[in-house]
């Protein structure tokens, strides 16, 4: 097998670990709520802790990826995620221990996401192929996100949560082993100081618009991943097994659609796709809020998963194409700003849901999706202008 294929496998396995990290809290919240008597505000605080740690790791990692490459991050990050899962499985302790696990999960998961995307983006120069490759990479995010809820739905009564998390730990350590053994391409970062380059790039109009777009996208992803099960179990009276299967359907829809998109984006404009995706998310999220039955809600969950799948990887591909020598730093800026949405929007959704029901929290997804479609029009206009690299 060629060296680039092994590098792709390392990136795919790293993105699998990121998917596990992102889906974990939403999938196990019903179990932890019963064990530790957590309310919806407590759940929002856990997402805030996880995303705060992810934000700190992302800001620090971007310039390091441009300067030293993705290999060190792909070795260390899986260890952090594995430690988090071990803490939850072996020593849940209480809410404090769970908060520490959430922080480790955020730091390790964020580093996996950023380093895997930077590695794959650097392996492709053409924009259409970069978009297709990053969407294919995103499939493994869906596989990882699907793994935990599907395993809980099928095996919770047989294995228990601890053994399920133990199996996840073994899989999450794969990219660390591969990355330690593989030879990575040399980094192509600039010669100027990382802080100066980051300051310059952060003021570019295209970067600012893309960052705002991903702010809403990340907020939507975290709200949906965390509060779909809440809507289904608390308001539509689904069992934990039923809600886990439907959450698995959400991640499965993301995964299948990204496989399709890895072909479509070789011929279709990413700008048009992102605009249509935002409108689709708004429509299906509204359907989930208004669903009168579990069957209707399940169809809406699948629809919103299929609709949301294209936005993040396609947006990163555009940024990587415009700033190829600074993709790690630009990805760091974009992901860091997106995490502001991931931190604040679920926190707001938790409080709205505590006061008015899960539907009120999910209404933020509708507003965010409409904002994404509008911002994509601004991206298209700005991308047509010359921009400093």
């Amino acid at each position: 097998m060629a060296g680039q294929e092994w590098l792709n496998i390392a990136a795919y396995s790293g993105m699998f670990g990121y998917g596990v990290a992102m889906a974990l809290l939403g999938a196990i919240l019903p179990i932890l709520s019963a064990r530790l008597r957590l309310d919806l505000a407590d759940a929002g605080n856990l997402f805030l802790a996880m995303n705060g740690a992810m934000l700190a790791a992302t800001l620090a990692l971007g310039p390091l990826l441009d300067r030293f490459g993705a290999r060190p991050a792909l070795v260390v990050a899986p260890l952090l995620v594995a430690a988090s899962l071990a803490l939850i499985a072996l020593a849940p302790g209480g809410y404090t221990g769970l908060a520490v696990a959430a922080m480790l999960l955020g730091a390790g998961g964020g580093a996996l996401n950023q380093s895997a995307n930077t590695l794959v983006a650097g392996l492709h120069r053409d924009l259409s192929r970069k978009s297709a490759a990053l969407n294919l990479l995103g499939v493994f995010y869906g596989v990882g996100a699907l793994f935990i809820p599907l395993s809980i739905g099928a095996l919770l009564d047989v294995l228990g949560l601890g053994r399920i998390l133990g199996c996840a730990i073994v899989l999450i350590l794969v990219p660390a082993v591969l990355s330690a053994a593989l030879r990575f391409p040399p980094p192509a970062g600039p010669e100027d100081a990382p802080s100066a380059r980051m300051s310059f790039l952060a003021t570019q109009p295209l970067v600012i618009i893309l960052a705002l777009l991903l702010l809403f996208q990340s907020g939507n992803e975290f709200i949906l991943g965390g509060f779909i099960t809440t809507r289904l179990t608390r308001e539509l009276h689904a069992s934990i097994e039923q809600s886990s299967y439907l959450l698995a359907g959400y991640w499965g829809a993301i995964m299948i659609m990204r496989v399709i998109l890895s072909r479509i984006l070789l011929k279709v404009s990413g700008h048009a796709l992102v605009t249509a995706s935002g409108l689709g998310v708004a429509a299906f999220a509204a359907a989930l809020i208004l669903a009168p039955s579990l069957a209707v809600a399940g169809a809406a969950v699948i629809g919103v998963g299929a609709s949301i799948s294209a936005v993040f990887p396609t947006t990163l591909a555009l940024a990587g194409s415009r700033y190829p020598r600074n993709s790690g730093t630009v990805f760091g800026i974009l992901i860091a700003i997106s995490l502001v949405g991931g931190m604040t929007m679920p926190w707001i959704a938790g409080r709205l849901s505590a006061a008015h029901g899960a539907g009120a929290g999910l209404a933020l997804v509708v507003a965010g999706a409409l904002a994404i479609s509008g911002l994509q029009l601004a991206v298209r206009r700005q991308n047509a202008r010359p921009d400093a690299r």
Side-chain angles (χ1 to χ4, degrees):
M1 188 179 294
Q4 181 168 325
E5 292 176 343
W6 278 112
L7 290 173
N8 280 325
I9 291 172
Y12 296 158
S13 61
M15 191 57 69
F16 171 89
Y18 175 61
V20 170
M22 293 301 97
L24 183 67
L25 283 184
I28 67 175
L29 269 179
I31 301 170
L32 296 177
S33 295
R35 178 191 297 170
L36 303 176
R37 298 181 180 179
L38 306 180
D39 59 24
L40 291 173
D42 291 329
N45 288 334
L46 287 175
F47 283 104
L48 185 65
M50 181 177 73
N51 287 294
M54 192 179 298
L55 175 60
T58 297
L59 288 172
L61 186 59
L64 297 177
L65 287 172
D66 287 336
R67 185 62 61 92
F68 300 108
R71 182 182 183 183
L74 284 172
V75 172
V76 174
L79 302 179
L80 298 179
V81 177
S84 172
L85 269 62
L87 183 60
I88 294 172
L90 302 178
Y95 188 77
T96 300
L98 190 58
V100 172
M103 293 175 66
L104 288 173
L105 195 67
L112 281 173
N113 178 35
Q114 194 173 349
S115 55
N117 274 292
T118 301
L119 174 60
V120 170
L123 296 176
H124 303 273
R125 295 184 179 180
D126 179 73
L127 175 58
S128 62
R129 293 190 177 278
K130 195 184 297 284
S131 297
L134 288 175
N135 271 277
L136 183 59
L137 176 66
V139 171
F140 293 88
Y141 168 73
V143 173
L146 181 66
F147 175 81
I148 289 294
L150 187 60
S151 298
I152 289 174
L155 300 173
L156 182 62
D157 291 337
V158 178
L159 297 179
L161 182 61
R163 288 189 176 90
I164 291 173
L165 294 180
C167 294
I169 288 172
V170 174
L171 296 174
I172 284 167
L173 291 176
V174 169
V177 175
L178 287 176
S179 299
L182 292 174
R183 176 176 296 177
F184 280 60
E191 298 178 356
D192 52 348
S195 59
R197 192 63 181 170
M198 177 176 283
S199 298
F200 170 76
L201 291 167
T203 62
Q204 297 304 298
L206 179 60
V207 174
I208 293 171
I209 297 170
L210 291 171
L212 290 174
L213 190 156
L214 291 183
L215 180 147
F216 288 109
Q217 171 68 11
S218 182
N220 283 352
E221 288 185 359
F222 280 101
I223 292 172
L224 289 167
F227 288 92
I228 282 175
T229 54
T230 300
R231 165 72 171 139
L232 297 176
T233 57
R234 298 199 179 196
E235 298 182 358
L236 295 174
H237 310 295
S239 67
I240 290 178
E241 288 77 13
Q242 287 174 322
S243 64
S244 293
Y245 280 127
L246 287 175
L247 185 61
Y250 165 77
W251 295 113
I254 291 176
M255 178 179 64
I256 293 170
M257 184 55 67
R258 282 180 174 167
V259 172
I260 297 171
L261 290 171
S262 69
R263 300 295 182 182
I264 291 176
L265 279 165
L266 294 174
K267 299 179 180 180
V268 174
S269 165
H271 294 290
L273 185 62
V274 171
T275 302
S277 294
L279 296 175
V281 170
F284 283 112
L288 177 58
I289 294 168
L290 300 173
S293 67
L294 188 59
V296 175
V301 167
I302 301 301
V304 80
S307 299
I308 205 170
S309 60
V311 179
F312 213 104
T314 305
T315 302
L316 287 183
L318 175 60
S321 179
R322 288 299 297 266
Y323 305 100
R325 296 185 66 239
N326 300 278
S327 59
T329 301
V330 170
F331 285 5
I333 294 169
L334 297 182
I335 294 172
I337 298 301
S338 77
L339 288 173
V340 174
M343 291 167 63
T344 57
M345 289 178 66
W347 183 82
I348 295 169
R351 275 143 184 79
L352 287 173
S353 297
H356 305 291
L362 289 170
L364 286 178
V365 174
V366 177
L370 294 175
I372 286 169
S373 292
L375 285 166
Q376 184 58 40
L377 298 177
V379 169
R380 183 193 290 271
R381 289 194 297 268
Q382 185 62 43
N383 196 47
R385 301 175 181 177
D387 191 21
R389 303 301 174 97

